[in-house]
Amino acid sequence: MDTKIIVALDYPDASSALSLVQQLDPEICKLKVGKQLFTAAGPRFVEDLVSRGYPVFLDLKFHDIPTTVGLACAAAANLGVWMMNVHALGGGAMLRAARAALGEAGDRPKLIAVTLLTSMSETDMREIGLQDSPQDAVLKLARLTQINGLDGVVCSAQEAPILKQNLGAAFQLITPGIRPASAEIGDQHRVMTPVAALAAGSDYLVIGRPITHAANPLSALLAIHQEISQ
Ligand code: C5P
């Protein structure tokens, strides 16, 4: 089953990540490994998660010259990951190199892009010479991602309707900032419930602390799974 929930493994080392993973179920979630865990635990840990049956989203947001990014994407594909990502700000040639590195096989990993980091304010954008509004920049970068053959973008669920409207239903939207109605918001600002995010057009939900910090992570995962399956 193509489960919609991607649990963010935001842990400092393999053993703390594994103690959570052992409580989860690959039938109802995927896993996201980001820069912190990957840097600490390395590629063998990613392969371990894959061998346990989990689809893994390798969230390393590659951004470099096209050749280097292409080679990094090929190396990630060799780990057996389900999804990986790059920065759309790396430009068209870099996006094409990343996409070309994954080939055309039906079971190739999905490749998505980060448009504009949600941590960037308009002031931050001006500082680096970007004159667009954040919404225009996101749409422009998502279009660039799509015309270069990538599968989708990471975005907030608030941006999902406008992106689906402009880029079509097949372009995949992966959304963090998800909070079940009963969960704490923490440091996220604009949050949506899992059901509302899917209704807004999200294809996959990245969920961290509402599951990883729950007293019983499996029950938290199951509760969200049931809520969105209904
Ligand atoms: O714990 P929480 O559910 O907030 O975790 C969300 C995950 O999604 C974290 O790994 C965070 O780095 C990531 N993320 C995010 N907002 C973005 C991009 C990624 O929260 N714009």
Side-chain angles (χ1 to χ4, degrees):
M1 183 173 54
D2 185 28
T3 55
K4 301 283 176 193
I5 304 170
I6 305 174
V7 179
L9 290 182
D10 293 323
Y11 288 99
D13 52 55
S15 65
S16 41
L18 261 191
S19 58
L20 185 270
V21 169
Q22 282 160 349
Q23 300 176 60
L24 300 178
D25 180 351
E27 292 295 311
I28 52 174
C29 70
K30 299 174 167 63
L31 301 174
K32 178 171 91 68
V33 174
K35 287 189 171 88
Q36 181 194 20
L37 182 57
F38 185 79
T39 303
R44 299 294 84 81
F45 180 69
V46 172
E47 288 178 318
D48 181 13
L49 297 176
V50 172
S51 72
R52 288 168 193 261
Y54 285 97
V56 174
F57 169 19
L58 190 61
D59 178 20
L60 297 181
K61 303 185 181 71
F62 296 132
H63 188 173
D64 208 313
I65 59 170
T67 304
T68 303
V69 167
L71 292 169
C73 287
N78 283 337
L79 298 177
V81 304
W82 160 74
M83 178 183 274
M84 66 184 79
N85 60 1
V86 297
H87 269 286
L89 279 167
M94 193 207 78
L95 294 171
R96 286 190 292 283
R99 177 62 193 83
L102 301 182
E104 295 307 324
D107 60 350
R108 68 166 172 82
K110 285 181 192 288
L111 177 65
I112 60 166
V114 173
T115 55
L116 192 65
L117 291 170
T118 47
S119 53
M120 295 281 284
S121 67
E122 292 219 42
T123 311
D124 294 323
M125 291 174 66
R126 300 296 169 267
E127 239 171 34
I128 58 167
L130 296 177
Q131 304 303 335
D132 287 334
S133 69
Q135 186 178 309
D136 286 351
V138 166
L139 191 53
K140 224 181 242 181
L141 289 163
R143 273 194 213 289
L144 183 73
T145 300
Q146 185 177 47
I147 60 176
N148 285 296
L150 278 71
D151 302 298
V153 290
V154 182
C155 67
S156 82
Q158 277 83 5
E159 293 161 350
I162 194 146
L163 289 174
K164 282 285 184 193
Q165 217 172 60
N166 282 274
L167 304 173
F171 193 65
Q172 311 258 284
L173 305 179
I174 291 76
T175 60
I178 303 298
R179 290 292 177 272
S182 59
E184 299 207 0
I185 290 176
D187 57 0
Q188 294 282 12
H189 293 295
R190 297 184 304 144
V191 299
M192 254 199 216
T193 65
V195 170
L198 291 172
S202 172
D203 292 282
Y204 297 101
L205 310 169
V206 174
I207 308 179
R209 289 160 291 179
I211 293 171
T212 59
H213 287 195
N216 184 333
L218 182 60
S219 332
L221 170 63
L222 279 168
I224 300 171
H225 176 69
Q226 269 153 20
E227 199 178 309
I228 63 181
S229 309
Q230 273 161 13

